[in-house]
Amino acid sequence: MASVELDRIGKTYVDGGVPTVHDVTLDIAEGEFCVFVGPSGCGKSTLLRMIAGLETISSGEMRIGGRRVNEKAPGERDVAMVFQSYALYPHLDVGENLGFGLRLARVPKADAQRRIDEVARLLQIDHLLRRKPRELSGGQRQRVAIGRALVRRPGVFLFDEPLSNLDAALRQQTRLEIARLHRSQGRASSIYVTHDQVEAMTLADRMVLLQPPPPGALLPQPSVAQCGAPLTLYRRPRNLFVAGFLGSPRMNFLPATLIERREDGLVAALADGTRLTLPVRADGVNDGDAVTLGVRAEHLRPATRRDGSDDPRLSEPMRTQVQWLEHLGDQSLAYLAGPGGALVSRLPEGHAAPAIGESFPVAALRDEVHVFDPRGEALPRLHEELDTCAAR
Ligand code: ADP
Ligand code: MG
């Protein structure tokens, strides 16, 4: 039952060095499920450990439940953390592992036992209470680690890649359980770190995408690339980094040149001269600028339908040649050599697969094409404001 407020939080491990975490401002509300996601090494664990009190804070102020906690020990912060490595005590049985934190906190024995039993039932590990961690499977160990956090009834749950050591099926099942547990914990908030975009997209009320410090840059850039509802980041990435990180297959990027700015959008020319008219506002860019067009595989379609008609939502056609096909059961992907580089297109359901080597004109759903300026920032769509980073 606690909010977490980060106010310009930074972390520098080496005196005078490049900050690992820079300028993070974020309010996490009571009851919210917030996910920190980003590539390995971008500072997710560092940020989480600063919230937990396991790492000192170099700059900024951190408040939990409205109280400044920068100088508070982990035990005084109303948080409980679940680690990737489980970190169970090998010489204690499951019941003792679950109760360890309660003993430290001097919770009366009968009350502690009630809480342990309740959590063990909730996690379906009540038949394992007398076993040692080495007598458990990986999935059971992770449940005990989660249970150890639950019994403490903290205001804030912190998770650092808790599913990374589980196999795929168990990962999915435990992911659903974590979502359900969070809902059952009323107003407790959860902060969850992962490098896995599927976990982030499925668990998060709000997703915070972190980016690593740029190599060799003179000025540190803020660690948060974008934050907001998962689908907002997916549909409206603010820059090339966000666009390229979210989505599988990765978004197609096509180099282009800005040719013309018009009332109804802009015209960009691809490497082979193909011109696309797109409903995007050319704010702060000039004719002749190098821009990047971004199109997801599901938005890149065969240019003509099977009945030979044109789809009015589609852009001007682009010439490509089929390099490879992947049939995944629920979808087929066509790998194409296109203007300016490789492209991937997800074939619409029922569309006959082209042959490898065949010429294959494709077109993009005009409203779904992203245009990035020479600095890699997304240009706004016509009639739409860009999502500003929702820090609250
Ligand atoms: P993530 O969890 O996103 O993979 P981390 O927060 O673990 O990233 O690490 C971010 C960066 O900080 C990495 O480059 C890592 O090497 C560095 N780092 C982490 N812990 C320390 C430490 N105790 N001392 C110095 N550098 C560290
Ligand atoms: Mg980490």
Side-chain angles (χ1 to χ4, degrees):
M1 249 166 304
S3 61
V4 180
E5 294 162 78
L6 277 60
D7 193 354
R8 309 207 63 178
I9 289 296
K11 175 71 184 180
T12 309
Y13 281 113
V14 188
D15 274 347
V18 183
T20 295
V21 170
H22 181 61
D23 202 5
V24 177
T25 296
L26 196 64
D27 281 6
I28 299 158
E30 282 188 355
E32 188 175 4
F33 202 119
C34 180
V35 176
F36 297 165
V37 65
S40 179
C42 69
K44 305 179 295 293
S45 295
T46 299
L47 195 53
L48 196 73
R49 291 167 62 80
M50 283 194 279
I51 297 171
L54 300 171
E55 199 69 72
T56 57
I57 297 168
S58 308
S59 57
E61 184 171 88
M62 175 108 54
R63 291 179 293 273
I64 297 180
R67 281 187 322 143
R68 177 185 166 98
V69 295
N70 289 46
E71 295 78 21
K72 297 264 185 251
E76 301 172 289
R77 292 192 183 202
D78 197 19
V79 302
M81 183 144 160
V82 179
F83 298 87
Q84 175 181 350
S85 61
Y86 317 142
L88 301 177
Y89 299 105
H91 56 289
L92 301 182
D93 68 21
V94 169
E96 291 162 335
N97 265 287
L98 289 176
F100 192 81
L102 299 180
R103 230 175 60 214
L104 284 186
R106 299 182 196 282
V107 174
K109 234 181 172 164
D111 186 18
Q113 195 56 52
R114 247 196 324 276
R115 287 205 218 172
I116 291 167
D117 291 341
E118 185 189 312
V119 163
R121 261 199 314 279
L122 182 69
L123 292 171
Q124 295 167 18
I125 48 175
D126 37 351
H127 57 299
L128 304 172
L129 286 172
R130 298 280 77 85
R131 291 212 201 155
K132 295 276 168 54
R134 65 170 181 277
E135 299 165 316
L136 303 177
S137 69
Q140 290 167 335
R141 281 180 214 170
Q142 189 51 284
R143 276 158 192 271
V144 178
I146 293 169
R148 198 170 48 178
L150 282 173
V151 293
R152 300 196 23 221
R153 298 184 182 162
V156 186
F157 288 96
L158 305 175
F159 298 91
D160 194 352
E161 311 240 11
L163 308 183
S164 300
N165 290 347
L166 305 180
D167 64 47
L170 201 53
R171 226 168 26 231
Q172 182 162 11
Q173 184 194 332
T174 316
R175 188 175 86 212
L176 289 170
E177 275 175 26
I178 288 177
R180 193 172 49 81
L181 283 171
H182 170 81
R183 304 282 165 241
S184 75
Q185 297 300 301
R187 291 153 70 82
S189 37
S190 296
I191 306 176
Y192 187 104
V193 160
T194 182
H195 67 274
D196 180 321
Q197 53 164 306
V198 176
E199 275 176 37
M201 296 285 296
T202 52
L203 286 169
D205 294 322
R206 192 160 44 141
M207 195 157 102
V208 181
L209 178 47
L210 300 173
Q211 56 195 347
L218 294 175
L219 288 174
Q221 70 177 351
S223 296
V224 177
Q226 190 172 357
C227 69
L231 287 178
T232 303
L233 269 67
Y234 187 83
R235 294 195 181 125
R236 295 289 179 263
R238 302 173 99 203
N239 58 35
L240 280 170
F241 172 77
V242 179
F245 185 81
L246 292 177
S248 175
R250 185 168 174 266
M251 186 185 283
N252 295 298
F253 292 127
L254 295 123
T257 308
L258 185 62
I259 298 292
E260 193 187 341
R261 290 163 290 158
R262 305 200 316 215
E263 283 284 291
D264 62 342
L266 57 76
V267 181
L270 301 177
D272 67 353
T274 305
R275 292 183 174 207
L276 304 185
T277 312
L278 301 166
V280 168
R281 284 210 321 254
D283 289 359
V285 283
N286 298 303
D287 292 354
D289 276 358
V291 294
T292 305
L293 309 188
V295 191
R296 296 203 186 277
E298 64 262 35
H299 301 139
L300 198 60
R301 310 256 168 101
T304 26
R305 293 175 179 165
R306 274 193 297 171
D307 63 9
S309 68
D310 291 331
D311 183 337
R313 298 170 302 163
L314 290 179
S315 70
E316 295 82 349
M318 303 170 229
R319 285 189 297 269
T320 77
Q321 194 189 32
V322 180
Q323 304 284 294
W324 192 246
L325 293 161
E326 275 181 356
H327 300 291
L328 303 170
D330 61 335
Q331 55 175 306
S332 293
L333 299 175
Y335 291 83
L336 311 166
L343 296 173
V344 194
S345 160
R346 191 167 89 197
L347 299 176
E349 206 163 326
H351 194 278
I356 291 171
E358 204 172 272
S359 123
F360 190 64
V362 293
L365 280 175
R366 233 182 260 283
D367 286 340
E368 304 294 344
V369 179
H370 307 264
V371 182
F372 301 95
D373 72 13
R375 289 172 20 246
E377 303 290 325
L379 294 174
R381 311 204 165 220
L382 286 183
H383 324 298
E384 192 179 298
E385 291 305 311
L386 256 197
D387 178 53
T388 50
C389 179
R392 290 174 171 271

